[in-house]
Amino acid sequence: MKNQLKVLRAIRNWSQADLGEHLDVSRQAVNAIETGKYDPSLPLAFKISRLFDLPIEQIFDDEYTGEQDV
Amino acid sequence: MFDADENTGSNGLRILWMILCGFGIVLLSGVITGFLSVHMAEGGSALNTTDYAILAAFISLTLALAFAIWRLFRQMKRSDQKVPQREKVYNRFLIGSFLFGGVTGIVLALTGSFDATEASLISNNAMSPMLAIILSISIGIIVPAITFYWHKNVVDEQEEAAYRLGALIAMYAFWFIAPVWWFLWRGGMLPAIDGIALYFITIFVALIVWFWKKYL
């Protein structure tokens, strides 16, 4: 899933390690989420949302165009 | 963004190379030991120039691999200026486990609990009751307790997902490999099913998938 994580932490001048520290995950996890290789769980997505004070859908993009059924 | 960030992904490859170099050292050590054992079995006379050259080549290769591991480790350290707390615990746990395994192995070897003529732990040869009890307690009680703590407190959800996928694919590998082996044995094309071999195959599959999902 595409996301704005890299941009958001760049604004705060955070490294992946910094973000990992805030989220209590490893740098590999941050890296995997940023590169779209791993989609975070709902609890972690909410944690990210609270950390950046943004709604989940502004951070993560499921590429829904409105043409699909759901 | 940060140099360390760019290196985080490639550390997976570094770790993979370090593991491969480690396997190489183990294999080369086996070759050197085998070479010397054969020499001793043939009378143990003084080594000639060719023998020295062969030994020197293998020892040089071993040292080169050890040097490569050291270089890769240094590169990893340089890329890891800052490490999240959870990862620090993770690394300490890993180092502790390696040290525990290493020290246990050395103690077993020094106390004679593990006879070199038993070929290796990975065989169906008889072993001393004491060694069997020590290994059973380790694998049956200590390792499960450590594993429980590991999953409960150390790994994060991304690694947990890597473990889950590894376990799933390993389970399917077992489900498919075991009957195929059994059929081929019944057809007279393979030896009888070896449970321990199947065990190691499933562990190997799980490890490969885990590594791929966690680091690559």
Side-chain angles (χ1 to χ4, degrees):
Chain A
M1 193 181 286
K2 286 182 180 173
N3 60 74
Q4 299 297 313
L5 224 51
K6 197 168 182 175
V7 176
L8 290 170
R9 72 176 172 82
I11 291 168
R12 284 157 181 78
N13 208 23
W14 286 350
S15 66
Q16 287 180 341
D18 293 325
L19 183 55
E21 188 74 57
H22 282 287
L23 299 173
D24 192 27
V25 297
S26 64
R27 283 163 308 149
Q28 285 83 20
V30 172
N31 191 268
I33 294 169
E34 279 186 359
T35 52
K37 290 175 186 164
Y38 173 72
D39 292 334
S41 67
L42 211 45
L44 183 56
F46 272 111
K47 207 170 177 179
I48 294 168
S49 162
R50 278 193 296 272
L51 181 66
F52 292 113
D53 199 23
L54 285 169
I56 288 177
E57 57 268 31
Q58 276 189 33
I59 302 172
F60 295 96
D61 177 13
D62 68 349
E63 297 172 76
Y64 176 67
T65 58
E67 290 166 7
Q68 297 100 322
D69 289 337
V70 181
Chain B
M1 192 157 296
F2 288 85
D3 288 344
D5 293 344
E6 304 307 324
N7 281 322
T8 304
S10 58
N11 275 346
L13 280 177
R14 288 197 185 98
I15 292 169
L16 182 62
W17 276 113
M18 285 165 75
I19 291 170
L20 290 175
C21 287
F23 276 126
I25 289 174
V26 172
L27 287 175
L28 284 169
S29 303
V31 170
I32 292 167
T33 311
F35 181 82
L36 290 173
S37 300
V38 169
H39 182 76
M40 293 302 285
E42 288 174 349
S45 57
L47 295 171
N48 60 32
T49 312
T50 313
D51 294 333
Y52 276 120
I54 292 170
L55 271 179
F58 284 127
I59 290 170
S60 302
L61 269 174
T62 308
L63 291 175
L65 290 177
F67 179 71
I69 290 175
W70 178 75
R71 281 291 301 270
L72 289 163
F73 183 76
R74 293 267 302 186
Q75 286 173 9
M76 271 182 61
K77 289 292 283 182
R78 272 201 296 272
S79 72
D80 294 350
Q81 294 303 320
K82 190 170 183 184
V83 179
Q85 183 58 27
R86 183 183 280 269
E87 226 175 305
K88 284 180 190 162
V89 177
Y90 186 99
N91 293 338
R92 282 185 205 131
F93 227 85
L94 271 188
I95 292 167
S97 299
F98 279 124
L99 286 177
F100 175 73
V103 169
T104 307
I106 290 168
V107 168
L108 287 173
L110 290 178
T111 55
S113 301
F114 177 53
D115 185 353
T117 58
E118 288 173 357
S120 79
L121 293 175
I122 310 168
S123 77
N124 288 324
N125 295 342
M127 63 169 59
S128 68
M130 180 56 73
L131 181 58
I133 290 168
I134 291 171
L135 290 172
S136 299
I137 290 172
S138 299
I139 304 290
I141 297 172
I142 298 172
V143 174
I146 292 172
T147 305
F148 180 78
Y149 182 86
W150 176 259
H151 283 277
K152 192 89 179 151
N153 301 297
V154 182
V155 300
D156 60 24
E157 64 169 63
Q158 183 248 355
E159 180 163 11
E160 200 64 52
Y163 274 118
R164 272 200 301 276
L165 185 64
L168 178 70
I169 294 178
M171 184 188 74
Y172 277 118
F174 177 80
W175 282 359
F176 298 138
I177 291 170
V180 167
W181 191 342
W182 186 52
F183 291 138
L184 291 176
W185 166 66
R186 292 174 64 187
M189 284 166 271
L190 280 180
I193 287 181
D194 185 333
I196 290 298
L198 276 176
Y199 165 78
F200 279 109
I201 289 170
T202 53
I203 283 186
F204 184 71
V205 170
L207 275 176
I208 293 289
V209 176
W210 164 81
F211 187 88
W212 162 52
K213 295 305 287 183
K214 178 168 169 63
Y215 290 107
L216 302 182

